[in-house]
Amino acid sequence: MKTIADLKIGERGIIVNFTDEGLSLKLLEMGCLPGTQVTMTHIAPFGDPIAVKVTGYVLSMRKDEAATIIVA
Amino acid sequence: MKKLPKIALIGNPNAGKSSLFNSITGLRQKTGNFPGVTMDMLIGKWHLDNGGDAEILDLPGIYSIYPKSVDEQVVINILANPQHPDYPDLAIVVVDASNIKRNLLLFSQVRDLGIPTVLALNMIDVAENQGIVINSVKLARELNVEVAEVNAKKGIGLNGLRLAVNKTLESGYNSNDSLPMEYSHELVAEIKQKYGDTDDYHALLWLSEHDNLQQFNTQQRVGFDKLQEKYGWNTQNAQSKETMARYAQLNEIVDNCLHQMPVEDEVVNTWTDRLDKIFLHRFWGYFIFLGILFIMFQAIFTWATYPMDLIDGGVAQLNDFLKSQLPPTKLTDLLTDGLIAGIGGVLIFIPQIAFLFLFISLLEETGYMSRVMFIMDKLMRRFGLNGKSVVPLISGVACAVPAIMSTRSITSWKDRLITIMVTPLMSCSARLPIYTVLIALVVPEKSTLFGIFNLQGVALFALYLLGFFMALFSAWVMKILLKVKERSYFIMELPSYKGPRFSHVMFTIWNSTKAFVFEAGKIIVAISIVLWVFASYGPGDAIEQAEINVKMQNPTLTGIDLENKIAAQKLENSYAGHFGKFIEPAIKPLGYDWKIGIALITSFAAREVFVGTMSTIYSLGGEVEDENATVMNRMRAEINPETGKPLYDAALGFSLLIFYAFAMQCMSTLATTYRETKSWKYPAIQFFYMTSLAYFSAFIVYQFLK
């Protein structure tokens, strides 16, 4: 299963589902809906956190949080 | 007089809420306090068409009405409670057109609370650059609400907004008729019956967020828990479902009103992208951050000294003037040596605090601060902290009180608590005068490190680093000790870079400085007065006898020398002197005598009192110009009666420096910790761990260097 955490810089993916129910509400509120396209834009110096472009803005999250978002 | 209608500005962070507030109110704004919490709230006046003014509140930015952090809770506490004094008569929801779906989620929630709502569509230019065209007339029709297109930054479209507000205020119209999600009407009916009549959405909000709402007492909260159980209510599940249902509804509306034009490259290379390549770079990112910190320290410790000297001189002159004009009574002494000296001790910090907040607000306004959080998160997490802990730790260099308050944006309770607990280890500006005096005593002025760096400067910098590393170390220990199983997360927007708004920066500086002067000031002034009383009175008539005794023992002394001798003798026999003698055995292993003991006791409430106490103890008159230099000369001349060598040798000097670097000597900070953690447990722990740390470190340093 591919997640946002697996994306390389510049790579795109479409959100399919969330594996963590507790986080999904916050992610939904931030505009990460199933069907939305995300683009990996930044990876912090020590590989964590990461930042993605989603619905026109840049959203940062930790790697283990990104790993709960399944993309296709 | 008729009550002014209240209008609340609500919106996502970075949607342009504060810009709109500034454009609407201009300079007609003041700060207020949210009831129950000390958080600044901006209140302004807005002239509406039909004669009257409206009161307009700028609320902190939120993404939804389900709060994730303490600063978001403030907003919900107002919106969830129609009886709240700040409950708005109308809400203007500011919507960022370039990110309309996410912004409309909040809009739909606010509208469903039954508050008459107007939509201010902002950042249309940004959206157009991304090829997004929005038909706002259609949007108004679909949402059944007044929509005003505005450019918040330039102040364009305010007339249209005023028109929309007038219309909505008059009709009191709210378009919510049914909620988009499914829910049990039976449950809502039972809530209404138990907790008062309201609309359905308020009832559901109470049910899911009751633990965070101030309006309910423990008994009522238990009642909600029982209802949740009875109906099998799962808050997380319900909120997720609601959010999905809202998006489903909004998707349709947005599809009808929004046209996406093709843009050449989807990942447009904006200024923000280009800057982020540098600021988030694995090497240059940290390099630039350190450079900014360096300039900040330079400003706080070098540039700020000029205004500080002016303030210092001004207060001294005022005191001299009053002393020469007023009759030499106890009351005059209280006014000059007690009260005015105390106020002076507060005012002297204004330049440093102002510089610090200038930098912090500039970094926050431009969007750079969230980049710092981004590159620091991984490093900070190792120590049980969070990328967002960077702001409190940096602010702690000025004053721990606003620094601790700035932890409110940290979503995880454990991370927030640890940040609060270790922030006072950062060397605040109140420690600076102590460092300055003591370093000058024990570090030779002329010597340099590698021939370039002034050794005194290196010592000062080392003390700051010491505080920082001790904060990290303590955080790491607490991370291991605190067994809270709680999720910490770091889902956060990286806003695009913006030029700072001058008025906003100035306002932040003004408000923060004012808060410091009044909050910390009250305590410092009170302590100075108490100290003055304890140093001026003593048991029995020993104080009255002091003058006669000194004159008898030193018949040749006259003038200032005589007065100083008398003052010293009086102090020794005062209550403060007795206290000092009392604790002498406990501080002897650290190398301190009873005089330093007095300074330790007086500075337990506020460490900035140390230098003042020292100057009182080493019996100074008010006529010497450079206060610090003379305290130093007196201290330098002090002889250790046991060894016959100078008392302030390296061992004692460094022992005191370490003690002050670690000791928890600030009532204001403890009070803030209490307020922010809502428990006496944490300030108590903070006090004991920091004081023990100070005592044992000073002990080791003294025993090693002795």
Tab-separated table of all heavy atoms in Angstrom, chain B residues 572-607:
chain	number	residue	atom	x	y	z
B	572	GLU	N	21.964	44.857	58.745
B	572	GLU	CA	22.316	43.631	59.447
B	572	GLU	C	21.322	43.334	60.565
B	572	GLU	O	21.038	42.185	60.868
B	572	GLU	CB	23.741	43.742	59.996
B	572	GLU	CG	24.282	42.392	60.419
B	572	GLU	CD	25.748	42.429	60.792
B	572	GLU	OE1	26.414	43.448	60.511
B	572	GLU	OE2	26.214	41.442	61.378
B	573	ASN	N	20.772	44.398	61.158
B	573	ASN	CA	19.851	44.217	62.273
B	573	ASN	C	18.383	44.217	61.857
B	573	ASN	O	17.498	44.141	62.700
B	573	ASN	CB	20.092	45.304	63.314
B	573	ASN	CG	21.381	45.033	64.065
B	573	ASN	OD1	21.511	44.007	64.717
B	573	ASN	ND2	22.335	45.922	63.921
B	574	SER	N	18.143	44.362	60.545
B	574	SER	CA	16.750	44.387	60.083
B	574	SER	C	16.210	42.960	60.000
B	574	SER	O	16.949	41.992	60.168
B	574	SER	CB	16.678	45.037	58.706
B	574	SER	OG	17.320	44.202	57.773
B	575	TYR	N	14.923	42.868	59.698
B	575	TYR	CA	14.322	41.537	59.495
B	575	TYR	C	15.036	40.809	58.365
B	575	TYR	O	15.329	39.618	58.463
B	575	TYR	CB	12.833	41.668	59.169
B	575	TYR	CG	11.992	42.079	60.345
B	575	TYR	CD1	11.409	43.339	60.409
B	575	TYR	CD2	11.781	41.196	61.409
B	575	TYR	CE1	10.642	43.720	61.496
B	575	TYR	CE2	11.029	41.565	62.495
B	575	TYR	CZ	10.450	42.836	62.545
B	575	TYR	OH	9.705	43.207	63.611
B	576	ALA	N	15.334	41.555	57.306
B	576	ALA	CA	16.009	40.928	56.163
B	576	ALA	C	17.354	40.366	56.601
B	576	ALA	O	17.726	39.248	56.230
B	576	ALA	CB	16.190	41.937	55.036
B	577	GLY	N	18.076	41.126	57.406
B	577	GLY	CA	19.365	40.677	57.910
B	577	GLY	C	19.236	39.400	58.713
B	577	GLY	O	20.028	38.458	58.570
B	578	HIS	N	18.206	39.342	59.561
B	578	HIS	CA	17.998	38.141	60.359
B	578	HIS	C	17.665	36.938	59.490
B	578	HIS	O	18.152	35.838	59.737
B	578	HIS	CB	16.882	38.392	61.386
B	578	HIS	CG	17.344	39.236	62.531
B	578	HIS	ND1	18.054	38.718	63.590
B	578	HIS	CD2	17.239	40.565	62.753
B	578	HIS	CE1	18.349	39.700	64.436
B	578	HIS	NE2	17.865	40.842	63.949
B	579	PHE	N	16.855	37.187	58.460
B	579	PHE	CA	16.546	36.100	57.512
B	579	PHE	C	17.827	35.575	56.891
B	579	PHE	O	18.042	34.368	56.792
B	579	PHE	CB	15.629	36.605	56.383
B	579	PHE	CG	14.179	36.608	56.737
B	579	PHE	CD1	13.397	37.729	56.478
B	579	PHE	CD2	13.583	35.490	57.299
B	579	PHE	CE1	12.052	37.739	56.796
B	579	PHE	CE2	12.239	35.503	57.614
B	579	PHE	CZ	11.481	36.631	57.374
B	580	GLY	N	18.643	36.492	56.448
B	580	GLY	CA	19.892	36.121	55.786
B	580	GLY	C	20.744	35.259	56.693
B	580	GLY	O	21.264	34.215	56.279
B	581	LYS	N	20.870	35.673	57.949
B	581	LYS	CA	21.673	34.911	58.917
B	581	LYS	C	21.061	33.530	59.134
B	581	LYS	O	21.751	32.541	59.318
B	581	LYS	CB	21.715	35.676	60.251
B	581	LYS	CG	22.535	36.947	60.188
B	581	LYS	CD	23.847	36.774	60.924
B	581	LYS	CE	24.817	37.890	60.665
B	581	LYS	NZ	24.517	39.116	61.370
B	582	PHE	N	19.700	33.533	59.124
B	582	PHE	CA	18.992	32.285	59.383
B	582	PHE	C	19.310	31.233	58.323
B	582	PHE	O	19.501	30.066	58.638
B	582	PHE	CB	17.480	32.562	59.438
B	582	PHE	CG	16.644	31.327	59.608
B	582	PHE	CD1	16.644	30.630	60.817
B	582	PHE	CD2	15.860	30.853	58.565
B	582	PHE	CE1	15.881	29.497	60.979
B	582	PHE	CE2	15.093	29.715	58.719
B	582	PHE	CZ	15.107	29.035	59.928
B	583	ILE	N	19.351	31.652	57.071
B	583	ILE	CA	19.574	30.645	56.020
B	583	ILE	C	21.057	30.449	55.712
B	583	ILE	O	21.412	29.606	54.897
B	583	ILE	CB	18.810	30.958	54.711
B	583	ILE	CG1	19.326	32.246	54.069
B	583	ILE	CG2	17.323	30.984	54.899
B	583	ILE	CD1	19.045	32.293	52.578
B	584	GLU	N	21.912	31.189	56.374
B	584	GLU	CA	23.343	31.097	56.061
B	584	GLU	C	23.876	29.657	56.088
B	584	GLU	O	24.601	29.261	55.164
B	584	GLU	CB	24.166	31.994	56.976
B	584	GLU	CG	25.535	32.289	56.391
B	584	GLU	CD	26.332	33.278	57.229
B	584	GLU	OE1	26.357	33.126	58.470
B	584	GLU	OE2	26.909	34.191	56.642
B	585	PRO	N	23.538	28.849	57.108
B	585	PRO	CA	24.069	27.478	57.119
B	585	PRO	C	23.730	26.693	55.853
B	585	PRO	O	24.538	25.907	55.368
B	585	PRO	CB	23.403	26.846	58.342
B	585	PRO	CG	22.965	27.975	59.187
B	585	PRO	CD	22.722	29.133	58.288
B	586	ALA	N	22.537	26.930	55.303
B	586	ALA	CA	22.092	26.168	54.125
B	586	ALA	C	22.860	26.571	52.873
B	586	ALA	O	23.044	25.758	51.962
B	586	ALA	CB	20.594	26.357	53.900
B	587	ILE	N	23.297	27.827	52.810
B	587	ILE	CA	23.934	28.284	51.572
B	587	ILE	C	25.449	28.365	51.699
B	587	ILE	O	26.143	28.663	50.741
B	587	ILE	CB	23.359	29.655	51.134
B	587	ILE	CG1	23.452	30.646	52.270
B	587	ILE	CG2	21.934	29.511	50.649
B	587	ILE	CD1	23.006	32.044	51.876
B	588	LYS	N	25.935	28.079	52.882
B	588	LYS	CA	27.383	28.094	53.118
B	588	LYS	C	28.126	27.166	52.141
B	588	LYS	O	29.151	27.550	51.576
B	588	LYS	CB	27.658	27.656	54.568
B	588	LYS	CG	29.035	28.013	55.056
B	588	LYS	CD	29.033	29.368	55.742
B	588	LYS	CE	30.482	29.838	55.846
B	588	LYS	NZ	30.591	31.213	56.279
B	589	PRO	N	27.618	25.936	51.906
B	589	PRO	CA	28.327	25.029	50.988
B	589	PRO	C	28.433	25.579	49.572
B	589	PRO	O	29.247	25.129	48.783
B	589	PRO	CB	27.477	23.759	51.002
B	589	PRO	CG	26.623	23.844	52.207
B	589	PRO	CD	26.453	25.277	52.528
B	590	LEU	N	27.575	26.548	49.223
B	590	LEU	CA	27.644	27.139	47.889
B	590	LEU	C	28.587	28.336	47.895
B	590	LEU	O	28.831	28.949	46.864
B	590	LEU	CB	26.258	27.606	47.420
B	590	LEU	CG	25.075	26.669	47.597
B	590	LEU	CD1	23.845	27.255	46.929
B	590	LEU	CD2	25.382	25.310	47.005
B	591	GLY	N	29.096	28.687	49.086
B	591	GLY	CA	30.028	29.795	49.182
B	591	GLY	C	29.382	31.130	49.522
B	591	GLY	O	30.029	32.169	49.452
B	592	TYR	N	28.081	31.125	49.879
B	592	TYR	CA	27.390	32.398	50.085
B	592	TYR	C	27.363	32.770	51.571
B	592	TYR	O	27.246	31.918	52.446
B	592	TYR	CB	25.943	32.350	49.573
B	592	TYR	CG	25.787	31.794	48.180
B	592	TYR	CD1	24.582	31.236	47.775
B	592	TYR	CD2	26.848	31.832	47.266
B	592	TYR	CE1	24.436	30.719	46.497
B	592	TYR	CE2	26.702	31.314	45.993
B	592	TYR	CZ	25.493	30.760	45.611
B	592	TYR	OH	25.342	30.251	44.356
B	593	ASP	N	27.428	34.060	51.849
B	593	ASP	CA	27.282	34.529	53.227
B	593	ASP	C	25.873	35.092	53.434
B	593	ASP	O	25.042	35.028	52.536
B	593	ASP	CB	28.357	35.566	53.569
B	593	ASP	CG	28.228	36.805	52.700
B	593	ASP	OD1	27.275	36.869	51.889
B	593	ASP	OD2	29.071	37.718	52.817
B	594	TRP	N	25.631	35.641	54.605
B	594	TRP	CA	24.263	36.075	54.903
B	594	TRP	C	23.801	37.224	54.025
B	594	TRP	O	22.620	37.370	53.739
B	594	TRP	CB	24.120	36.450	56.381
B	594	TRP	CG	24.925	37.657	56.792
B	594	TRP	CD1	26.212	37.660	57.232
B	594	TRP	CD2	24.488	39.014	56.800
B	594	TRP	NE1	26.626	38.934	57.521
B	594	TRP	CE2	25.583	39.790	57.268
B	594	TRP	CE3	23.288	39.656	56.478
B	594	TRP	CZ2	25.516	41.177	57.402
B	594	TRP	CZ3	23.223	41.033	56.615
B	594	TRP	CH2	24.328	41.788	57.069
B	595	LYS	N	24.753	38.041	53.556
B	595	LYS	CA	24.347	39.165	52.695
B	595	LYS	C	23.801	38.647	51.366
B	595	LYS	O	22.773	39.100	50.870
B	595	LYS	CB	25.537	40.086	52.445
B	595	LYS	CG	25.998	40.811	53.685
B	595	LYS	CD	27.176	41.678	53.376
B	595	LYS	CE	27.673	42.375	54.630
B	595	LYS	NZ	28.885	43.139	54.362
B	596	ILE	N	24.520	37.688	50.792
B	596	ILE	CA	24.012	37.091	49.556
B	596	ILE	C	22.704	36.363	49.863
B	596	ILE	O	21.787	36.349	49.046
B	596	ILE	CB	25.053	36.129	48.952
B	596	ILE	CG1	26.325	36.910	48.639
B	596	ILE	CG2	24.521	35.458	47.704
B	596	ILE	CD1	27.478	36.056	48.165
B	597	GLY	N	22.621	35.810	51.071
B	597	GLY	CA	21.385	35.151	51.499
B	597	GLY	C	20.189	36.082	51.397
B	597	GLY	O	19.118	35.688	50.931
B	598	ILE	N	20.382	37.331	51.830
B	598	ILE	CA	19.272	38.299	51.722
B	598	ILE	C	18.876	38.474	50.263
B	598	ILE	O	17.696	38.438	49.904
B	598	ILE	CB	19.685	39.675	52.294
B	598	ILE	CG1	20.017	39.547	53.776
B	598	ILE	CG2	18.573	40.704	52.074
B	598	ILE	CD1	20.498	40.845	54.382
B	599	ALA	N	19.887	38.631	49.416
B	599	ALA	CA	19.599	38.817	47.991
B	599	ALA	C	18.893	37.596	47.420
B	599	ALA	O	17.978	37.721	46.603
B	599	ALA	CB	20.891	39.092	47.230
B	600	LEU	N	19.290	36.404	47.869
B	600	LEU	CA	18.622	35.188	47.378
B	600	LEU	C	17.158	35.193	47.772
B	600	LEU	O	16.274	34.900	46.975
B	600	LEU	CB	19.291	33.930	47.949
B	600	LEU	CG	20.644	33.519	47.381
B	600	LEU	CD1	21.054	32.179	47.958
B	600	LEU	CD2	20.583	33.430	45.871
B	601	ILE	N	16.920	35.542	49.036
B	601	ILE	CA	15.532	35.538	49.512
B	601	ILE	C	14.696	36.580	48.767
B	601	ILE	O	13.622	36.276	48.256
B	601	ILE	CB	15.474	35.809	51.025
B	601	ILE	CG1	16.036	34.604	51.769
B	601	ILE	CG2	14.044	36.093	51.473
B	601	ILE	CD1	16.099	34.799	53.259
B	602	THR	N	15.220	37.794	48.684
B	602	THR	CA	14.414	38.841	48.031
B	602	THR	C	14.212	38.526	46.568
B	602	THR	O	13.172	38.843	46.000
B	602	THR	CB	15.075	40.219	48.148
B	602	THR	OG1	16.393	40.128	47.610
B	602	THR	CG2	15.126	40.680	49.581
B	603	SER	N	15.204	37.900	45.942
B	603	SER	CA	15.042	37.658	44.509
B	603	SER	C	14.306	36.358	44.229
B	603	SER	O	14.160	35.971	43.086
B	603	SER	CB	16.402	37.672	43.804
B	603	SER	OG	17.248	36.697	44.350
B	604	PHE	N	13.806	35.689	45.268
B	604	PHE	CA	13.025	34.490	44.985
B	604	PHE	C	11.711	34.825	44.306
B	604	PHE	O	11.160	34.037	43.561
B	604	PHE	CB	12.763	33.679	46.259
B	604	PHE	CG	13.585	32.444	46.280
B	604	PHE	CD1	14.695	32.351	47.086
B	604	PHE	CD2	13.291	31.390	45.443
B	604	PHE	CE1	15.490	31.224	47.066
B	604	PHE	CE2	14.081	30.259	45.414
B	604	PHE	CZ	15.196	30.180	46.236
B	605	ALA	N	11.219	36.008	44.578
B	605	ALA	CA	9.961	36.385	43.936
B	605	ALA	C	10.205	36.952	42.553
B	605	ALA	O	9.391	36.793	41.662
B	605	ALA	CB	9.234	37.396	44.790
B	606	ALA	N	11.316	37.622	42.360
B	606	ALA	CA	11.650	38.194	41.061
B	606	ALA	C	13.151	38.405	41.029
B	606	ALA	O	13.678	39.193	41.795
B	606	ALA	CB	10.916	39.514	40.845
B	607	ARG	N	13.828	37.680	40.138
B	607	ARG	CA	15.293	37.675	40.207
B	607	ARG	C	15.906	39.028	39.882
B	607	ARG	O	17.027	39.309	40.283
B	607	ARG	CB	15.873	36.588	39.309
B	607	ARG	CG	15.294	36.503	37.937
B	607	ARG	CD	16.001	35.451	37.129
B	607	ARG	NE	15.530	34.097	37.335
B	607	ARG	CZ	14.453	33.569	36.748
B	607	ARG	NH1	13.704	34.302	35.950
B	607	ARG	NH2	14.116	32.320	36.965
